[in-house]
Amino acid sequence: MIILVLNCGSSSIKYQVLDMKSDNEYSLLSKGLVERIGEAVGSITHKVPGKADCVEERPIADHSAGIDAVLSLLIDPEKGVLKSLADIEAVGHRTVHAGEFFSESTLATDETISKVERCNDLAPIHNPANIIGINAARALMPNVPQVMVFDTAFHQTIPDYAYIYALPYEYYRKYGVRRYGFHGSSHRFVSQKACDALDLDINKAKIITCHLGNGSSVTAVCNGKSVDTSMGLTPLEGLTMGTRCGNVDPGALIYIMQKEGLDAEGLNKVVNKKSGLLGISETSSDNRDIDTASAAGNRLATLAHDKLCYDIKKCIGSYMAAMNGADVIVMTGGIGENSRTVRRDALRDLEGIGIELDFDLNENIDGDNWIISKPTSKVKVIVCCTNEELVIARDTMRIALAK
Ligand code: ADP
């Protein structure tokens, strides 16, 4: 089954075309990125394995024009990978926020889309763009099933005492203010992948998945279900991230607003764009730059690194308490998969709670499904590469076939 996976951001569209023979047998036909939608000059980077990348610069008025351009490239006699658009049998859409409406991926219909629209206030940057993309794809391919795969869905199993904030309950009742969590497709994918690699039954396992990238979140997965996660109502809560602040005393935010004369929009910018690794280091939001600067003796870069690693360590400890132990810790995302220094410093000195990192393995490995704990470690630590597009393609195939 040929599936187009679309991830529409506020001014960008990421896409992949996968030929799915089954959940585990598939090939990537093409992938690419449309950027700077709505600006004077946009760009499209289109990649086909085995061929030179194709980069086009031209104005792309809106998401519909962007998807149209992607479809044209996919059937282009030279650059394309499909004979005609009729080859696309289903489209899967990464969709950020489904509030409490959906705990699983679902077919995009007028009714299901209107529910997602009702969550727009909870994800004002992502959801409207996702919905524009879904509607544009439906208009361009009216007979092709379209499936929405939500970042929040996997976390709908979190119990009420873990998702409620200690604010007046009426804000939950009136506005849905609670923890929702994000990166759900990734946490679901790597928890299963780690169990497959370690020959464990996910229905009997306690797993802590650490998705560490520009945005980072940690999830406690007990018997295959998310029972707690570090991101909250929005993707701001939890760990120190590239430019997001993670956990901060709300009183500190009120104090800064007063001192700096900031309004809500001003504060929003500080906590989303100027904080995290960038905010502390005053150097970069990129973990590789932080590593380089720290190795060169930059004190604030070292502080940013230490803060991130301490956040991860504390979160792992708290989820071990929440689940009364853990069998596996999974490291994934750009940092989790690649940063030996973050893995080393987040996972060191945890023998007291059964985690024994093998420093040599952590230093020397580079790859997928690698165990980096010592054989004696009660809690196994494994590095697994995530693949959110594959999760979307799998769910899309399942739902389209059941239609
Ligand atoms: P996103 O959340 O945007 O999907 P990624 O999962 O790609 O981001 O992660 C990006 C982060 O991963 C960046 O901070 C980057 O520095 C870090 N990273 C990628 N490769 C390495 C590496 N080899 N060593 C250390 N950090 C890395």
Side-chain angles (χ1 to χ4, degrees):
M1 178 177 253
I2 293 189
I3 293 178
L4 170 64
V5 174
L6 290 177
N7 179 351
C8 294
S10 54
S11 66
S12 70
I13 303 169
K14 286 191 199 132
Y15 63 94
Q16 285 197 6
V17 181
L18 293 137
D19 185 2
M20 303 289 294
K21 304 264 183 276
S22 69
D23 268 4
N24 293 315
E25 247 184 296
Y26 60 90
S27 50
L28 175 70
L29 302 184
S30 173
K31 68 191 248 186
L33 174 65
V34 183
E35 288 173 289
R36 300 196 301 277
I37 294 172
E39 290 182 27
V41 185
S43 81
I44 309 178
T45 309
H46 174 72
K47 300 183 178 191
V48 175
K51 287 192 191 174
D53 292 357
C54 152
V55 182
E56 290 183 6
E57 303 250 321
R58 60 182 149 111
I60 300 154
D62 52 27
H63 285 76
S64 187
I67 295 174
D68 211 9
V70 170
L71 296 178
S72 300
L73 276 170
L74 291 176
I75 56 168
D76 184 276
E78 272 174 34
K79 302 165 196 156
V81 289
L82 305 174
K83 280 200 213 74
S84 83
L85 288 187
D87 290 349
I88 298 175
E89 293 168 87
V91 184
H93 296 267
R94 185 216 177 185
T95 312
V96 168
H97 218 306
E100 292 182 336
F101 287 116
F102 297 106
S103 55
E104 284 181 357
S105 305
T106 190
L107 206 60
T109 62
D110 290 347
E111 194 197 332
T112 57
I113 293 171
S114 85
K115 286 184 174 160
V116 177
E117 250 163 6
R118 284 159 66 187
C119 304
N120 281 5
D121 281 354
L122 295 172
I125 296 169
H126 294 101
N127 263 32
N130 298 156
I131 292 170
I132 290 170
I134 294 164
N135 285 330
R138 283 175 93 206
L140 293 165
M141 291 171 277
N143 299 317
V144 178
Q146 315 268 335
V147 172
M148 298 186 287
V149 180
F150 307 106
D151 275 36
T152 51
F154 183 57
H155 301 300
Q156 278 297 295
T157 45
I158 292 176
D160 54 4
Y161 54 81
Y163 72 61
I164 201 72
Y165 293 122
L167 292 165
Y169 196 78
E170 64 170 305
Y171 298 137
Y172 169 60
R173 209 184 284 121
K174 283 203 284 194
Y175 310 122
V177 174
R178 52 160 282 185
R179 176 185 311 287
Y180 290 98
F182 298 87
H183 293 139
S185 301
S186 177
H187 290 294
R188 172 157 67 102
F189 179 76
V190 295
S191 54
Q192 182 63 60
K193 185 168 170 177
C195 284
D196 292 345
L198 295 166
D199 204 15
L200 288 174
D201 178 356
I202 194 162
N203 297 311
K204 295 182 185 150
K206 296 172 184 173
I207 306 165
I208 297 171
T209 48
C210 305
H211 178 112
L212 311 173
N214 285 314
S216 298
S217 67
V218 179
T219 295
V221 184
C222 192
N223 304 336
K225 293 189 165 59
S226 169
V227 292
D228 205 349
T229 193
S230 58
M231 282 180 170
L233 173 79
T234 73
L236 256 183
E237 195 183 347
L239 311 179
T240 299
M241 306 186 212
T243 59
R244 290 177 232 154
C245 63
N247 291 343
V248 180
D249 174 2
L253 302 179
I254 297 166
Y255 184 75
I256 291 166
M257 282 177 95
Q258 288 166 340
K259 285 282 178 197
E260 296 276 314
L262 294 174
D263 58 7
E265 202 32 59
L267 183 68
N268 197 27
K269 207 164 165 199
V270 171
V271 293
N272 269 300
K273 302 267 182 232
K274 296 185 172 179
S275 299
L277 295 177
L278 173 68
I280 297 176
S281 71
E282 298 180 336
T283 302
S284 171
S285 63
D286 191 293
N287 183 62
R288 280 167 292 203
D289 297 339
I290 297 293
D291 264 357
T292 310
S294 173
N298 181 319
R299 188 180 66 83
L300 292 184
T302 303
L303 182 61
H305 166 87
D306 290 348
K307 162 76 173 149
L308 168 64
C309 297
Y310 186 60
D311 282 354
I312 300 166
K313 178 180 282 207
K314 272 206 303 189
C315 200
I316 288 172
S318 68
Y319 289 168
M320 285 185 73
M323 294 193 290
N324 192 11
D327 301 305
V328 186
I329 292 168
V330 188
M331 303 302 274
T332 195
I335 297 175
E337 290 167 28
N338 297 299
S339 175
R340 295 161 169 78
T341 51
V342 169
R343 290 195 307 247
R344 181 194 67 202
D345 294 335
L347 296 166
R348 70 187 323 152
D349 305 325
L350 289 173
E351 295 79 12
I353 56 171
I355 302 166
E356 296 174 60
L357 185 71
D358 185 317
F359 289 93
D360 287 337
L361 282 177
N362 179 54
E363 260 331 293
N364 297 319
I365 62 111
D366 197 6
D368 200 3
N369 284 352
W370 283 94
I371 299 171
I372 55 168
S373 48
K374 290 183 180 161
T376 47
S377 185
K378 224 175 130 194
V379 183
K380 304 285 169 239
V381 183
I382 186 167
V383 178
C384 290
C385 299
T386 194
N387 189 340
E388 287 162 288
E389 287 79 13
L390 179 58
V391 179
I392 295 173
R394 282 176 176 174
D395 281 13
T396 302
M397 178 168 70
R398 181 174 46 79
I399 290 169
L401 287 175
K403 196 177 162 252

